[in-house]
C-alpha cells in the first residue's frame, strides 16, 4: 500500500475513534443533572452516530434534547424516558417555549 494511502487510512481510523469517544461523552453529558431512564444516553448517541450531522447540528440536537428532557421530567414528575413521550408532551413543550421562555419554535 502506498504511503499516502496508509496515511489516509490511519487518518480515517483516528477520526472514527475520536467521533466514537466524543459521541459517548455527549450521551453522558446531555442528561447531566436530569433524571432519565437507563437507556436514554445510549439512544441519543446512537441517533447522532447514525446520521451524518455537522458538528454544530449535533450540538444543537443535544442542547434541544437537554431542554426537552429537563422540561419533561419537571412537567410529568418522572424521569425522561423516550418511549413515554406523547404527542401532547411535544405540544406542551412547544407552548412552554413560546409562552414561558419567549423562544421561537421551529415547525
Amino acid at each position: 500500500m502506498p504511503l499516502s494511502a496508509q496515511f489516509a487510512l490511519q487518518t480515517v481510523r483516528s477520526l472514527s475513534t475520536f467521533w466514537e469517544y466524543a459521541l459517548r461523552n455527549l450521551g453522558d453529558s446531555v442528561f447531566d443533572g436530569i433524571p432519565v431512564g437507563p437507556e436514554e444516553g445510549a439512544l441519543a448517541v446512537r441517533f447522532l452516530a447514525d446520521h451524518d450531522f455537522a458538528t454544530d447540528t449535533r450540538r444543537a440536537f443535544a442542547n434541544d434534547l437537554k431542554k426537552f428532557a429537563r422540561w419533561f421530567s419537571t412537567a410529568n414528575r418522572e424521569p425522561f424516558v423516550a418511549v413515554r413521550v406523547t404527542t401532547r408532551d411535544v405540544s406542551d413543550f412547544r407552548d412552554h417555549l413560546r409562552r414561558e421562555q419567549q423562544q421561537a419554535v421551529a415547525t
Side-chain angles (χ1 to χ4, degrees):
M1 181 181 299
L3 187 57
S4 61
Q6 289 176 351
F7 178 74
L9 182 60
Q10 183 60 38
T11 301
V12 168
R13 285 184 184 148
S14 295
L15 287 172
S16 176
T17 302
F18 167 77
W19 279 113
E20 287 175 28
Y21 178 77
L23 285 174
R24 253 192 321 246
N25 286 341
L26 178 65
D28 294 339
S29 66
V30 165
F31 300 117
D32 275 349
I34 302 169
V36 298
E39 302 293 321
E40 275 42 51
L43 286 172
V45 167
R46 192 171 327 132
F47 173 78
L48 293 173
D50 287 349
H51 296 83
D52 189 24
F53 295 129
T55 302
D56 288 343
T57 302
R58 290 177 193 271
R59 193 174 303 119
F61 267 114
N63 187 41
D64 290 345
L65 183 57
K66 186 175 198 165
K67 285 181 192 178
F68 181 75
R70 183 178 293 123
W71 173 86
F72 179 93
S73 65
T74 301
N76 293 301
R77 295 185 181 109
E78 65 180 87
F80 170 71
V81 177
V83 297
R84 301 267 302 136
V85 175
T86 65
T87 304
R88 178 65 187 256
D89 289 322
V90 175
S91 178
D92 289 350
F93 178 63
R94 286 174 48 94
D95 288 343
H96 164 76
L97 290 176
R98 187 175 30 249
R99 290 185 184 141
E100 297 176 31
Q101 300 296 316
Q102 304 296 311
Q103 292 181 355
V105 292
T107 56

